[in-house]
Amino acid sequence: MSKFWSPFVNELTPYIPGEQPKKDNLIKLNTNENPFAPSPKVIEAIHAATNESLRLYSDPEGQSLKQTIANYYKLKANQVFLGNGSDEVLAHVFHALFKHDNELPILFPDISYSFYPVYCGLYSIHYESIEVDNKFQINVAGYFRANSGIIFPNPNAPTGIVLPLATIRQLLEQNRQSVVVVDEAYIDFGGESAISLIDKYPNLLVVQTFSKSRSLAGLRVGFALGQADLIEALERVKNSFNSYPLDRLALAGAEAAIKDDVYFNNICQQIIENRDILINALESLHFKVLPSMANFLFVTHKQLDASQLATNLRDKGIIVRHFNKPRINQFLRISIGTKQENQSLIAALADIIK
Ligand SMILES: *Cc1c(COP(=O)(O)O)cnc(C)c1O
């Protein structure tokens, strides 16, 4: 606290990201990064863009990347919004679409992405969290009430549980008065995207990221897809905040990533395979594993304290994520690694258990 601060700063509760360790040779299964390298074509494109043109600003509209994403998902370029990571996209969503002058709260699950309440704090948005059921499933009927907006990840984080498209459609049928945001950070690992519903529902916004399925967490590129009218609201806020959220290298790399569909499908498929193998191995060690359609697993063990287990794993050079929060403090979130990393994890756990 300081007399120099704007007063509202005292009231903020910032998000705490998972650790990015300075030490090498840790097995890092704590922030859901992709264990595979980005496509070689992405690296080439970034190399090619690394030249004297860096003295010039990047395209403020990111038009070429927007068009590439639009073509890929069979939309129009004015249905695509770009941001510096999907976290920035989400921040603009809260500001541009969720902040209304009424008493109605926005709604999201109690077990969900912990950045949502942080944005509510930043922009003074009233929210209510809706409990997931005792199997940690989102119950959409809980959202059939007056609200200023609805947001949830699909698959949900940190549970990994996916909502079928038919259920999302049901929610959209019931909720036409406010924006419904589906945060699809993990959709490419087996879930069904809501993008196909955009044409029919003017209040649907789908948010995706290059950080997870396209192995580009360090490049910081995220995007939103929706009808042009929603996108325009986001552009207005973005252009009141930062004209150039994506730099030249990010624009070039992201475009190459979308264009290398073969590589993308291949690594997503490998993660799905590795997920199945890891689930079996964890279940043989008597872990309970929630059904995951993401690149991580949410697991608990009757005999082992989750926080202690995270510490024991860290001592063995493996980091996973523990959330010290109600309902989930006996769970660990474990990102799916390479086959070798997953084997090391299982070996370490077997050792701790015996
Ligand atoms: C990782 C993640 C994001 C943020 O991704 P960035 O694009 O890296 O900012 C957004 N939502 C959820 C649910 C995530 O897990």
Side-chain angles (χ1 to χ4, degrees):
M1 206 191 285
S2 147
K3 67 174 179 182
F4 300 121
W5 291 10
S6 303
F8 85 98
V9 176
N10 295 317
E11 310 302 318
L12 294 178
T13 312
Y15 178 76
I16 303 166
E19 181 191 359
Q20 293 296 342
K22 304 291 178 287
K23 262 201 311 193
D24 279 346
N25 64 42
L26 285 178
I27 296 182
K28 194 173 176 306
L29 304 177
N30 68 329
T31 52
N32 300 341
E33 288 139 330
N34 201 304
F36 299 106
S39 153
K41 291 184 179 155
V42 168
I43 310 296
E44 265 172 49
I46 291 173
H47 274 299
T50 306
N51 58 41
E52 77 220 45
S53 71
L54 285 173
R55 76 186 175 79
L56 301 171
Y57 284 111
S58 53
D59 174 8
E61 309 305 331
Q63 201 54 39
S64 179
L65 177 58
K66 275 185 184 166
Q67 191 61 59
T68 303
I69 293 173
N71 293 348
Y72 187 81
Y73 290 111
K74 303 193 166 58
L75 297 168
K76 301 201 177 72
N78 67 359
Q79 297 182 299
V80 182
F81 177 76
L82 301 172
N84 191 266
S86 62
D87 284 338
E88 187 185 77
V89 174
L90 290 169
H92 291 330
V93 166
F94 276 70
H95 210 174
L97 302 171
F98 282 171
K99 191 171 163 60
H100 294 280
D101 294 329
N102 62 33
E103 291 303 300
L104 298 174
I106 70 153
L107 309 176
F108 50 78
D110 62 335
I111 310 295
S112 187
Y113 189 35
S114 36
F115 227 133
Y116 302 156
V118 174
Y119 295 131
C120 288
L122 178 60
Y123 297 120
S124 301
I125 295 166
H126 176 45
Y127 73 87
E128 275 181 43
S129 50
I130 309 293
E131 280 192 19
V132 296
D133 68 16
N134 57 9
K135 288 180 166 164
F136 293 96
Q137 284 168 332
I138 291 175
N139 174 13
V140 289
Y143 296 77
F144 298 171
R145 49 181 278 196
N147 64 75
S148 285
I150 295 173
I151 184 167
F152 55 90
N154 195 42
N156 197 7
T159 63
I161 297 174
V162 79
L163 269 187
L165 198 56
T167 311
I168 294 178
R169 193 182 295 116
Q170 205 188 339
L171 175 62
L172 287 160
E173 286 295 328
Q174 294 292 326
N175 191 86
R176 297 185 172 264
Q177 297 310 314
S178 72
V179 173
V180 175
V181 178
V182 187
D183 179 353
E184 294 190 334
Y186 303 102
I187 198 68
D188 297 322
F189 302 109
E192 198 179 352
S193 174
I195 293 171
S196 61
L197 302 178
I198 285 174
D199 267 354
K200 187 154 179 226
Y201 298 96
N203 61 330
L204 169 64
L205 192 79
V206 175
V207 176
Q208 292 197 4
T209 175
F210 285 71
S211 296
K212 313 309 186 355
S213 57
R214 295 183 195 272
S215 302
L216 289 171
L219 203 64
R220 311 306 303 128
V221 186
F223 57 97
L225 306 172
Q227 291 194 14
D229 172 59
L230 291 186
I231 300 302
E232 189 186 336
L234 297 172
E235 297 289 357
R236 289 176 66 109
V237 168
K238 172 250 173 192
N239 287 320
S240 308
F241 179 80
N242 178 4
S243 307
Y244 313 101
L246 271 71
D247 61 64
R248 287 175 165 267
L249 307 186
L251 289 170
E255 190 168 331
I258 294 283
K259 287 180 173 164
D260 197 352
D261 206 31
V262 172
Y263 185 91
F264 166 74
N265 286 319
N266 181 275
I267 63 173
C268 288
Q269 206 45 53
Q270 285 193 60
I271 287 172
I272 291 167
E273 270 172 44
N274 292 358
R275 179 172 70 202
D276 290 341
I277 298 168
L278 187 57
I279 291 171
N280 279 328
L282 287 165
E283 285 177 346
S284 346
L285 294 174
H286 306 291
F287 280 90
K288 182 181 169 205
V289 183
L290 297 191
S292 171
M293 277 289 170
N295 68 337
F296 58 83
L297 300 175
F298 206 46
V299 309
T300 184
H301 196 287
K302 273 206 178 71
Q303 275 93 45
L304 304 168
D305 177 68
S307 165
Q308 184 59 47
L309 193 53
T311 307
N312 293 345
L313 281 172
R314 208 201 145 85
D315 292 342
K316 291 177 173 293
I318 299 174
I319 48 179
V320 299
R321 190 95 194 252
H322 175 250
F323 298 94
N324 197 8
K325 291 205 284 199
R327 297 188 77 185
I328 56 170
N329 65 356
Q330 282 310 321
F331 280 80
L332 292 178
R333 194 194 66 191
I334 306 177
S335 311
I336 315 280
T338 59
K339 284 200 171 63
Q340 207 170 22
E341 289 173 326
N342 297 341
Q343 279 162 9
S344 303
L345 168 76
I346 293 300
L349 286 171
D351 200 42
I352 292 164
I353 289 170
K354 87 166 194 288

